[in-house]
Amino acid sequence: MKEKNLLMIFTRNPELGKCKTRLAATIGDQAALDIYKFLLQHTVEITQNLHATKEVHYSVKVRDNDIWDSEIYTKKQQSGDHLGKRMENAFQKGFTEGYENIVIIGSDIYDLNQNDIENAFAALETHNYVIGPAQDGGYYLFGMKSLNSRVFRNKEWGTDTVLKDTLIDLENENVKLLEERNDIDYYEDIQNIDVFQKFIK
């Protein structure tokens, strides 16, 4: 029987000078890359045992021998000229393939755990949409039961209006909001968290 739940993990290829650039502006490219690799490993740990089909969507190039075990994760390439289009295309493909509940997450949320993702899929049993709000005004998780392209259009991606504008799009819809979490983009996001101190000293 086909699994009905699909988790899509959007990830950037971990290359020096090309990831966590806003964080790198304060702590340098190497420390930012080390932190991003640490966050990728965390994302593996919280998703590898999840009962769902799991896909990793690479920003630049699919890698064969990396931390994403191809026995556990299907590897795909993101397509589209901005984040909204890339997410829309990924959801569209997932629904075309027959999945009933699709959730997307990024790969840089240290606050996220396996239970949060399981709760998101559980929410889709009784809601049409599930959103994990991020402290910076965006979201760290988004899920739905059928494709709604509107939520991916006319957004200023990477700004503090993304969540607000998305909720406006879903004003009369059945939406479950999860707990707010902190995603990591700036030095201020990590400066008081113990686990990151080894990277910035």
Side-chain angles (χ1 to χ4, degrees):
M1 191 175 112
K2 182 179 173 69
E3 173 63 58
K4 68 177 184 177
N5 291 340
L6 170 62
L7 176 70
M8 303 187 300
I9 303 163
F10 262 41
T11 180
R12 285 184 179 277
N13 294 68
E15 296 174 6
L16 190 66
K18 294 186 179 175
C19 55
K20 291 283 149 224
T21 51
R22 290 175 290 187
L23 182 60
T26 306
I27 66 172
D29 288 344
Q30 186 59 55
L33 177 61
D34 292 342
I35 285 174
Y36 188 55
K37 286 180 175 178
F38 171 78
L39 292 168
L40 288 175
Q41 187 59 50
H42 171 73
T43 308
V44 170
E45 288 164 9
I46 65 169
T47 58
Q48 60 189 354
N49 298 317
L50 195 72
H51 186 70
T53 299
K54 296 174 280 283
E55 296 177 351
V56 178
H57 292 247
Y58 292 75
S59 59
V60 181
K61 184 181 179 185
V62 173
R63 302 281 182 199
D64 290 330
N65 300 307
D66 60 4
I67 63 171
W68 305 101
D69 184 344
S70 53
E71 306 258 315
I72 299 174
Y73 302 93
T74 303
K75 300 184 176 188
K76 300 200 169 184
Q77 173 82 49
Q78 296 174 27
S79 67
D81 56 5
H82 59 83
L83 179 59
K85 191 62 184 169
R86 293 195 294 269
M87 289 197 290
E88 180 184 351
N89 289 341
F91 271 97
Q92 185 170 34
K93 195 156 185 2
F95 286 123
T96 301
E97 290 171 358
Y99 292 99
E100 296 175 24
N101 304 312
I102 304 181
V103 168
I104 190 169
I105 61 171
S107 48
D108 57 356
I109 317 290
Y110 183 67
D111 272 355
L112 195 61
N113 60 51
Q114 181 176 330
N115 198 43
D116 293 326
I117 304 169
E118 289 169 348
N119 287 342
F121 280 115
L124 287 174
E125 296 299 322
T126 53
H127 298 75
N128 293 328
Y129 300 89
V130 58
I131 301 178
Q135 288 176 2
D136 63 3
Y139 53 75
Y140 61 84
L141 178 152
F142 185 85
M144 56 185 163
K145 298 180 74 67
S146 61
L147 183 66
N148 179 347
S149 295
R150 190 173 62 228
V151 298
F152 301 122
R153 297 181 181 173
N154 303 313
K155 304 287 182 297
E156 294 288 331
W157 298 104
T159 72
D160 61 4
T161 62
V162 170
L163 176 65
K164 177 171 66 78
D165 291 343
T166 303
L167 290 172
I168 290 169
D169 289 337
L170 300 175
E171 197 169 7
N172 299 311
E173 299 285 355
N174 187 5
V175 181
K176 169 72 172 178
L177 285 178
L178 302 177
E179 283 184 42
E180 188 176 83
R181 295 277 188 256
N182 174 37
D183 61 357
I184 289 169
D185 289 314
Y186 295 97
Y187 175 68
E188 290 73 22
D189 298 328
I190 63 167
Q191 63 180 353
N192 297 318
I193 302 175
D194 288 347
V195 74
F196 293 109
Q197 298 313 305
K198 62 186 178 189
F199 298 109
I200 56 180
K201 284 202 159 110

